[in-house]
Amino acid sequence: MPPMIVVMTAVPTKPTTARPARLGAVSYLNTLPMIEGLGKLAEVTLTLTPPSELASMLERDEVDLALASSIDYQRSSIPLAILPVGMIGSSGPTLTVRLFSRVPIEDLKTVACDVDSHTSVTLLRIVLQQQHGLSPELLPFDADALEHRHNAADDDWPESLLLIGDKVVTASPPAIVYPHQLDLGEAWKDLTGLPFV
């Protein structure tokens, strides 16, 4: 199943009392068409968070619905239902899911992976294995501190870096440090002929 972002809900086990619907959503620009204005409704409580937190919020009963990923759906410890209300996708480059590397892609040994996304890490693993025959070590990386790293010495940056979301556009690492880049939406399209959804 290709990675996708869909709205999911925990399968109810008991009736709920009347209260605003608690919706968890990704806090990135590409989700605005799906959630714009929902936070102003009295019937909705909107929580914005990184995508990697959404399925856990469903599991902890902190939200009733979430714009969560299919990877987290498959890994959930509780039954979830997928609601067919929309998803985010591109046919070709996403511009917001990108691998940055100091070395040519075929020479990768390690990748520091943005902890905000589980889907992107899985997609990276598939693309590198299927297209390049690689299985580099994937390490967690807190990309929230990225804006402070721009003043860091070049050798303080990881060998390679997987980033997602708005920070790919607004706080991407210097191209002089990472001359080799791979857009995972484009790589997925090249690999499968399908849109990245």
Side-chain angles (χ1 to χ4, degrees):
M1 171 185 281
M4 64 181 72
I5 299 175
V6 295
V7 176
M8 295 182 202
T9 183
V11 175
T13 57
K14 60 185 177 195
T16 58
T17 58
R19 60 169 161 70
R22 301 170 302 162
L23 174 63
V26 179
S27 56
Y28 300 142
L29 184 60
N30 60 1
T31 62
L32 281 182
M34 296 179 73
I35 64 169
E36 181 62 27
L38 291 177
K40 298 175 184 174
L41 299 175
E43 300 86 9
V44 176
T45 301
L46 183 62
T47 301
L48 299 178
T49 189
S52 59
E53 296 295 318
L54 290 166
S56 297
M57 291 178 74
L58 283 168
E59 292 173 344
R60 294 188 304 262
D61 193 32
E62 295 172 3
V63 295
D64 304 310
L65 303 157
L67 191 64
S69 73
S70 62
I71 293 299
D72 290 333
Y73 169 79
Q74 295 173 45
R75 295 175 178 171
S76 178
S77 64
I78 64 169
L80 298 175
I82 298 176
L83 305 178
V85 296
M87 57 186 76
I88 300 166
S90 70
S91 186
T94 67
L95 307 179
T96 60
V97 183
R98 185 169 290 272
L99 174 67
F100 298 86
S101 181
R102 294 170 171 275
V103 299
I105 303 300
E106 59 272 13
D107 295 334
L108 285 177
K109 302 286 187 259
T110 62
V111 180
C113 296
D114 193 337
V115 295
D116 284 352
S117 173
H118 300 145
T119 299
S120 298
V121 175
T122 302
L123 177 61
L124 176 69
R125 189 183 315 264
I126 292 167
V127 165
L128 290 179
Q129 178 62 49
Q130 296 292 316
Q131 281 189 327
H132 303 280
L134 298 174
S135 297
E137 183 179 9
L138 304 180
L139 307 168
F141 181 77
D142 182 4
D144 287 337
L146 204 59
E147 61 195 42
H148 305 295
R149 294 195 71 129
H150 281 280
N151 297 325
D154 289 354
D155 57 356
D156 287 342
W157 292 82
E159 174 189 83
S160 60
L161 182 60
L162 172 65
L163 293 178
I164 68 149
D166 296 352
K167 61 185 145 306
V168 176
V169 177
T170 62
S172 63
I176 194 163
V177 177
Y178 292 111
H180 308 280
Q181 298 183 20
L182 180 66
D183 184 291
L184 293 188
E186 183 174 35
W188 179 257
K189 178 84 176 194
D190 291 346
L191 178 65
T192 66
L194 299 171
F196 173 69
V197 186

